[in-house]
Amino acid sequence: MKKSFFIFLVTIMFITGVATAGSLLTVVVDGDKVKFPDQKPYINQDNRTMVPVRFVSEELGYKVKWESAKKQVTITNGSSSVILTLGSRYMKINGKTEKMDTAATLVSGRTFVPIRFVSQSLDSSIKYDSKTKTISIKQPEPEPTPPPKPTPTPTPTPAPENGTTYTVEKGDTVYSISKRFGIQQADLVSWNGIVNNHIVPGQVLIVGEEALPEKPETDLALSGKVIVVDPGHGGMDSGAIGSDGATKEKTINLAVSKMLQTNLKNLGATVVMTRSADTSCDPGAGDLQDELQCRVDVATEYGADIFVSVHSNWYSSPLQDGSELFYNQFPCDLSEEYCKEGSVNGDPVGSQKLATSIWNELKTVVGSSPRGLDGSTHYYVNRKNSMPSVLVELGYMSNAVELNKLKNPSVQQQFADEIRDGIVNYFK
Ligand SMILES: [Zn+2]
């Protein structure tokens, strides 16, 4: 174990006992305040800060794998890994067993992990400010490339009144204050309800977004929804290859999925990606089924409301084109293709509703293939998921005209927009 582990052991001695149960904690990662839309971090009986494991993957970018049979969470960051078992005080750091003074636990069906142990073990630094009840996590800088010559950094002008509010002085104008804080005049006016640019000395103004009251989440169409977006294939598995002999399905799937992720986040959803880069979901997967099961496990672990898998299609005829959308409505006959154990989606009615909502929008982008909307195919992720689940085939990469559309970022954005609209309609 690296020295950071020892630093952290010392650090926690100072932190113990400072925070009180029930107090609101603020978590800051690399200077950005983290929002917890549903499950909040809390201090447990051992005085340790527990955070939802979702936070670990989303905010810290660590990879999280959940193995339900073993009740084990494996969290990796680069070459470092931590394995936690629910209810156990032992964790494995890079293969070595260490004892913690608290255990990972389930709260309302969600896994919470002791953030200090996890982040410190994975080489992030962590600090607790008892005055502001703020936990600050700083991630390690990427490996330095040849050190550039140090350039003198200009001393930043200290932001008055902690940078969020400002008391108007004689001679100040809306213009001068906006300029001083590097904000838009329109923002200053709207944040403070200023009429006709009229401000008076002594007036306290909000001059930074941090000071704004948080928007009520319920304002947004997808607030409180947990959506798993599954970019098909990845890593060693390229998926289909386009008619140009070069374009890989995994690349198109990921591009559209990321646009969809942004779209859904903007509407208040919590979006969980089964992969965010050119990787597999489960780097240790022994076979395709393990890899697909990993994607299902992500949805289970995060208690997803819906699951959306994004793929691009291929057929031996270069003329075949159009979008398709699959869901799993009926248990399959064991002799069928894609049906090994006769499982069926846990919410076939919801899946059909979700599929229909998305299909009504999706089919407007490049049109429908002859198959179109299909509830009778038994793709693994659809039939193994317990929540409404669909698998989108954007279009045919084997068709040269359609491939060019699939590669085009503005068409990709249209796909992401239409899928989003379908999801919003589903939740209405
Ligand atoms: Zn595919």
Side-chain angles (χ1 to χ4, degrees):
M1 199 47 227
K2 296 182 186 157
K3 76 165 189 278
S4 58
F5 186 64
F6 296 101
I7 293 170
F8 123 74
L9 281 177
V10 174
T11 315
I12 55 173
M13 293 177 182
F14 287 101
I15 289 163
T16 304
V18 178
T20 47
S23 59
L24 272 178
L25 292 168
T26 303
V27 179
V28 172
V29 174
D30 291 336
D32 292 330
K33 190 180 160 193
V34 179
K35 269 202 191 172
F36 291 92
D38 49 9
Q39 262 80 7
K40 313 283 184 212
Y42 67 95
I43 310 254
N44 74 1
Q45 72 285 354
D46 298 320
N47 257 325
R48 294 291 165 259
T49 305
M50 307 296 285
V51 296
V53 77
R54 169 191 305 160
F55 157 83
V56 167
S57 58
E58 288 199 341
E59 293 298 333
L60 300 177
Y62 299 164
K63 188 127 182 53
V64 174
K65 191 189 162 198
W66 167 248
E67 280 176 279
S68 47
K70 295 190 211 158
K71 295 199 174 351
Q72 257 179 11
V73 191
T74 304
I75 303 169
T76 47
N77 185 30
S79 56
S80 305
S81 74
V82 173
I83 301 176
L84 300 165
T85 306
L86 283 190
S88 165
R89 287 173 179 245
Y90 289 92
M91 68 173 180
K92 267 195 169 164
I93 305 171
N94 299 326
K96 216 179 135 219
T97 302
E98 302 272 4
K99 191 171 179 198
M100 305 180 282
D101 54 9
T102 199
T105 187
L106 266 185
V107 180
S108 320
R110 300 289 165 80
T111 305
F112 278 73
V113 296
I115 186 56
R116 200 162 305 284
F117 293 97
V118 172
S119 57
Q120 294 279 346
S121 310
L122 296 177
D123 292 329
S124 296
S125 73
I126 187 158
K127 264 193 206 150
Y128 183 74
D129 181 343
S130 59
K131 262 196 226 148
T132 57
K133 296 195 171 59
T134 299
I135 296 157
S136 306
I137 300 169
K138 204 167 174 299
Q139 303 209 64
E141 304 287 330
E143 283 297 312
T145 34
K149 276 210 170 143
T151 43
T153 41
T155 340
T157 344
E161 317 229 354
N162 75 26
T164 55
T165 59
Y166 172 70
T167 308
V168 177
E169 286 171 12
K170 232 181 149 188
D172 282 333
T173 62
V174 166
Y175 174 77
S176 71
I177 296 170
S178 312
K179 214 175 154 199
R180 177 165 182 179
F181 290 95
I183 55 178
Q184 302 289 321
Q185 287 190 64
D187 283 341
L188 186 64
V189 165
S190 84
W191 292 343
N192 295 285
I194 297 170
V195 180
N196 291 335
N197 286 343
H198 181 70
I199 51 173
V200 291
Q203 187 177 354
V204 177
L205 296 178
I206 294 169
V207 293
E209 266 179 298
E210 312 88 282
L212 290 174
E214 288 196 6
K215 266 194 196 158
E217 305 253 350
T218 43
D219 276 352
L220 300 167
L222 297 175
S223 293
K225 306 298 180 202
V226 179
I227 300 175
V228 170
V229 175
D230 173 42
H233 312 279
M236 301 279 279
D237 173 15
S238 295
I241 301 293
S243 62
D244 58 1
T247 306
K248 292 170 178 153
E249 182 195 341
K250 63 178 181 179
T251 312
I252 292 172
N253 299 346
L254 184 61
V256 173
S257 296
K258 283 189 159 177
M259 292 170 179
L260 179 60
Q261 176 190 26
T262 304
N263 278 350
L264 299 172
K265 272 190 171 176
N266 287 344
L267 293 179
T270 297
V271 184
V272 181
M273 304 286 282
T274 57
R275 66 178 178 99
S276 305
D278 182 15
T279 57
S280 48
C281 172
D282 175 6
D287 57 18
L288 178 62
Q289 184 168 322
D290 281 356
E291 171 63 14
L292 294 174
Q293 184 60 42
C294 172
R295 295 168 193 244
V296 173
D297 286 345
V298 168
T300 309
E301 160 64 5
Y302 286 88
D305 292 303
I306 60 167
F307 180 96
V308 179
S309 190
V310 177
H311 286 254
S312 306
N313 226 332
W314 189 93
Y315 191 56
S316 53
S317 158
L319 296 176
Q320 176 75 65
D321 63 1
S323 296
E324 289 166 13
L325 204 156
F326 297 91
Y327 62 103
N328 175 216
Q329 204 179 7
F330 308 110
C332 50
D333 171 334
L334 291 176
S335 64
E336 282 176 63
E337 198 185 0
Y338 306 120
C339 185
K340 297 241 164 62
E341 325 71 6
S343 56
V344 65
N345 179 268
D347 184 357
V349 175
S351 289
Q352 183 179 36
K353 186 183 165 204
L354 175 65
T356 310
S357 294
I358 296 179
W359 180 245
N360 287 339
E361 312 297 324
L362 178 76
K363 66 184 179 189
T364 63
V365 184
V366 296
S368 170
S369 86
R371 175 148 58 180
L373 181 61
D374 180 332
S376 64
T377 300
H378 305 281
Y379 284 131
Y380 192 93
V381 289
N382 284 342
R383 67 187 159 86
K384 285 289 191 177
N385 266 319
S386 53
M387 73 293 302
S389 170
V390 296
L391 186 149
V392 174
E393 292 280 5
L394 301 168
Y396 278 84
M397 300 177 62
S398 39
N399 179 305
V401 176
E402 197 146 285
L403 178 64
N404 277 330
K405 293 182 188 168
L406 292 169
K407 284 159 66 177
N408 181 333
S410 71
V411 178
Q412 291 174 349
Q413 187 63 52
Q414 278 180 53
F415 277 119
D417 292 351
E418 298 301 336
I419 296 170
R420 171 204 58 203
D421 292 351
I423 290 172
V424 169
N425 290 339
Y426 165 78
F427 281 116
K428 263 183 193 164

